Amino acid sequence: MPPLRLPREWPYWAGGITIALVNTVLMLADGKPWGITSMLTNASARVAELVGMRPSTWGYFQSPHREQALSDFGWLDGSLWLNLGIVGGVLVSGLLSREFHIRKAPRPWRKVALAVGGGLLMGYGARLAHGCNAGILLGAIPSHSLQGWVFALVTFLGVLLGVRFFRRVL
Amino acid sequence: MNRKRIVALLAPPAAAAIAFGLFHASPKVALLWLLGLALGFGLHRSRFCVAAAFRDAILFGDTGLTRAVLLALALSSASFAIIQQKALVSGAPLPGNLYPISAATVAGALLFGAGLVPAGGCACSTLLRLGEGHALYLWVLAGIVAGSLAGAYHFPWWESLAGRMAPVHLPAVIGWPATLAGEMVLFGGLAFLAVWWERRGANEL
């Protein structure tokens, strides 16, 4: 017996409406829609500083806005808590519907290698493109930015390429 | 009453307690946490995944998520238009994500799109899988974090490779009516294309 009766599944379009609603509130409250990877870049740059690297001197961080965002980054970063909230919201939903289980990473190291390799490609690519599916596809296209459309088209080609290339190893 | 059930019933109050704690430090951060909770909850209940909107359409001819992404885009394009126009009229800085286009955009999107196939999802699916308890996605997250740093390091080189186009806000070039009409035609057209693609795939299988 589940602790609370939740609708078993919402249709996909309900997820689409959730994104549109939350992004609209974010635009009003924060002036920018949901993004993930810019915050992760700042976090990784701060970690890199701990091991003696000097990312703040890199060309990427020379724009006034990005320099500011990097030096302001800390435990009270808004984007950090927005994304922690997403993990928290999934956790609440999973616990209430009894779907949450800790699932250990599988032993075959091939799977771990694919996970790390895919992550590296995505992190590297997202930084070059100023963001990921969240910030650019769902954020820049509704911002009426031409760059969002270029990103969406080329990402589609990238997925096509990825499917062809990785199909045999998956 | 088993332990799992107690943990489940404690989860919403715990999330609210974190919101109260954050509110003392910064009301805005507390609001962002609450918005994140709502987004995570909605995305999990609807099994939403932007990566799958691309991948499942290509691999399985399954376009339910593709159309849901198009719906999200159409709704937020309309609401962002009102917010942006209000800012433009009042002379405030233009809200939204507007970035330049360069070789970095093209190379980045290509690598990003290819990478989400072996990783089994993009950055947002990684957050969702972590919330579901999949430890494997800690490895994906570690890859994204490390890749981000390398990308930031190489960014100036990629951006200097070919021409760089300053951020283009479409309404500034072709006006609001043409922008909104063009976008809605594209979203609608792509949704029709998705339905056609799904039917065609089903016939083949």
Side-chain angles (χ1 to χ4, degrees), chain A residues 1 8 10 12 15 24 26 30-31 60 86 93 98-101 103 122 124-125 135 137 142-144 146 158, chain B residues 2 4-5 28 32 44-47 73 77 79-80 84 96-97 108 121 132-133 135 152 154 158 168 170 183:
Chain A
M1 177 179 69
R8 251 179 65 78
W10 292 0
Y12 289 146
T24 301
L26 281 170
D30 202 26
Y60 174 82
I86 292 171
S93 166
R98 286 199 153 184
E99 288 163 27
F100 178 81
H101 302 286
R103 281 158 272 215
M122 282 197 289
Y124 189 87
L137 190 97
S143 301
H144 311 287
L146 184 61
Chain B
N2 67 40
K4 262 204 154 156
R5 190 170 163 156
K28 195 174 122 181
L32 291 171
H44 183 246
R45 293 256 54 91
S46 60
R47 309 291 184 267
L73 290 177
S77 288
S79 71
F80 284 27
Q84 287 186 328
N97 282 353
E132 288 173 351
H154 287 161
W158 284 104
V168 176
L170 291 167
E183 283 170 355

Side-chain angles (χ1 to χ4, degrees), chain B residues 41-87:
Chain B
F41 189 87
L43 294 182
H44 183 246
R45 293 256 54 91
S46 60
R47 309 291 184 267
F48 205 88
C49 177
V50 190
F54 285 113
R55 187 197 55 210
D56 293 357
I58 294 170
L59 264 179
F60 313 118
D62 199 342
T63 64
L65 276 166
T66 319
R67 284 173 278 145
V69 167
L70 289 167
L71 175 69
L73 290 177
L75 292 174
S76 27
S77 288
S79 71
F80 284 27
I82 298 166
I83 295 166
Q84 287 186 328
Q85 177 59 15
K86 274 187 89 174

